[in-house]
Amino acid sequence: MITSTFIGDSGEHEVCKILKQKGFEVLNRNWRTKYCEIDIVAKKANTIYFVEVKTRKSDKFGSGFDYITKNKLKQMSFAAELWVSENNWQSDYQLAAASVTNNEVEIIFDV
């Protein structure tokens, strides 16, 4: 039986592969505290990208991007600020999102 955890992990794995192919260094995967989680933390040049990955088996109910709500963006922002603080990051950072639907990956680097 394929679980939603397996589907999510598979999507994150695919996004990491694509990021690496595009010259990103993946710093963390599933970075978490008791308050929040970041699916992927990646770096390219002097910018850190905090990537939320939404994986869907089909697009019957929309793409993964449809599930990134205003509330989710607030959570992502909070998590990014916490990571930046804990890692004493002094340069640029931004939020990003990835949708994996029907094994197709799309990444938006400025959400």
Side-chain angles (χ1 to χ4, degrees), residues 70-98:
K70 286 184 181 182
N71 189 43
K72 184 59 178 177
L73 288 172
K74 286 182 188 176
Q75 292 172 349
M76 290 171 64
S77 182
F78 172 80
E81 290 173 18
L82 190 57
W83 188 96
V84 164
S85 175
E86 285 190 5
N87 290 276
N88 196 32
W89 182 252
Q90 300 293 318
S91 194
D92 293 332
Y93 65 95
Q94 68 183 62
L95 302 180

Side-chain angles (χ1 to χ4, degrees), residues 18-35:
I18 289 171
L19 289 173
K20 289 176 184 177
Q21 289 170 357
K22 292 181 178 280
F24 287 79
E25 176 186 0
V26 175
L27 302 177
N28 300 106
R29 194 164 153 209
N30 297 312
W31 179 86
R32 59 178 41 125
T33 71
K34 66 180 184 177
Y35 305 107

Side-chain angles (χ1 to χ4, degrees), residues 1-7 57:
M1 178 178 193
I2 297 176
T3 65
S4 59
T5 300
F6 176 81
I7 292 168
K57 287 190 282 187

